[in-house]
Amino acid sequence: VPEAPQHVCLVCGYNMIGECPDSCPFCGARRDRIITQKECAKRFRVNATAVTARVTHLASRPALGYEHAAYRVETSNRSFWIDCPCVFDKTLDPVDVITFTHKDFLGASNLYRSAFGAKIWINEREAAHLLAQSFPFDRKFSNDFSEGGMEAHHVGGHSPGFTVYIAGSILFVCDLLYFRGNHLIFNPHGPKGPTQKAGVALAKLLRGKGRAFSYVCDV
């Protein structure tokens, strides 16, 4: 089966599977700001920067709009990406599972799935969104889970299925919270009430864990 065309928005990094639209469905950028994924792969690479011995920060270089960062986590029995780079960089080390906080930036996950045989996981509430429906998913989870040292906890808020992750003493919040200087603030680009409720749910979760976190990884 011929591979479907794929395009990337230079403004936000969003990937579009299929023919190039007149505007980006995520940020509304015009067609002249959208390029093919093949052209994107020529112009950008994914830079891997160690956070700890088991966690690596993944981000496009040069920066690709306001794409989210992704993180690689090595657990006891497999490798995970939390969220996915927007650029398809075949020089990256293969990964077993790509699991998502939410549906906003599914990146080139379909291409990494094909190249690496990676499994794609996402909360079922996020998979139901129109922006996600052209992407393949191998597991649509509905409950919290813990596998191989990776914990997933649904908090909602910024989006209905928003999921945070914990690996050891590291908390992954993506864009539920932003760092501003030495402070964390709620993401202002979403529903205010549900986002605040998610913050309460997250605080309750962390109190229940009863342990200190050495890193908080955001966008």
Side-chain angles (χ1 to χ4, degrees):
V1 178
E3 188 175 283
Q6 190 151 327
H7 296 81
V8 183
C9 176
L10 291 172
V11 175
C12 70
Y14 188 74
N15 270 245
M16 294 149 266
I17 300 173
E19 298 300 327
C20 185
D22 291 331
S23 60
C24 173
F26 185 81
C27 74
R30 297 179 307 183
R31 186 180 183 126
D32 62 1
R33 300 295 293 156
I34 299 172
I35 62 174
T36 66
Q37 177 59 254
K38 290 182 179 180
E39 177 61 25
C40 184
K42 293 177 182 178
R43 294 170 55 176
F44 298 88
R45 287 288 182 269
V46 177
N47 188 59
T49 304
V51 177
T52 70
R54 296 194 305 131
V55 177
T56 306
H57 175 273
L58 303 174
S60 299
R61 291 291 181 271
L64 178 52
Y66 49 86
E67 76 166 327
H68 290 168
Y71 292 88
R72 181 185 180 96
V73 181
E74 301 290 344
T75 71
S76 59
N77 60 0
R78 69 184 86 175
S79 56
F80 287 86
W81 284 356
I82 300 173
D83 295 328
C84 184
C86 295
V87 179
F88 177 59
D89 187 339
K90 61 184 179 182
T91 68
L92 292 174
D93 291 335
V95 65
D96 298 315
V97 176
I98 304 172
T99 190
F100 285 95
T101 55
H102 63 315
K103 61 31 174 134
D104 284 355
F105 285 92
L106 299 173
S109 57
N110 60 312
L111 300 180
Y112 287 111
R113 179 178 182 265
S114 295
F116 297 155
K119 301 299 183 184
I120 310 296
W121 298 358
I122 196 169
N123 185 285
E124 63 182 9
R125 300 169 184 85
E126 299 298 297
H129 194 280
L130 182 62
L131 287 176
Q133 291 179 6
S134 62
F135 284 81
F137 301 109
D138 300 291
R139 176 178 175 183
K140 301 175 185 178
F141 56 85
S142 58
N143 299 315
D144 297 351
F145 63 85
S146 178
E147 296 193 18
M150 172 72 76
E151 300 176 36
H153 298 275
H154 170 248
V155 295
H158 177 59
S159 60
F162 197 99
T163 302
V164 299
Y165 294 88
I166 297 173
S169 64
I170 303 180
L171 172 66
F172 301 87
V173 296
C174 190
D175 64 352
L176 176 64
L177 300 169
Y178 287 168
F179 274 105
R180 289 293 181 267
N182 293 323
H183 302 283
L184 284 167
I185 65 169
F186 289 119
N187 185 338
H189 305 296
K192 183 177 180 181
T195 299
Q196 290 176 335
K197 288 181 180 179
V200 172
L202 179 60
K204 182 178 180 180
L205 168 67
L206 298 183
R207 285 197 300 271
K209 291 296 177 184
R211 65 177 187 254
F213 289 87
S214 56
Y215 292 91
V216 176
C217 296
D218 66 348
V219 293

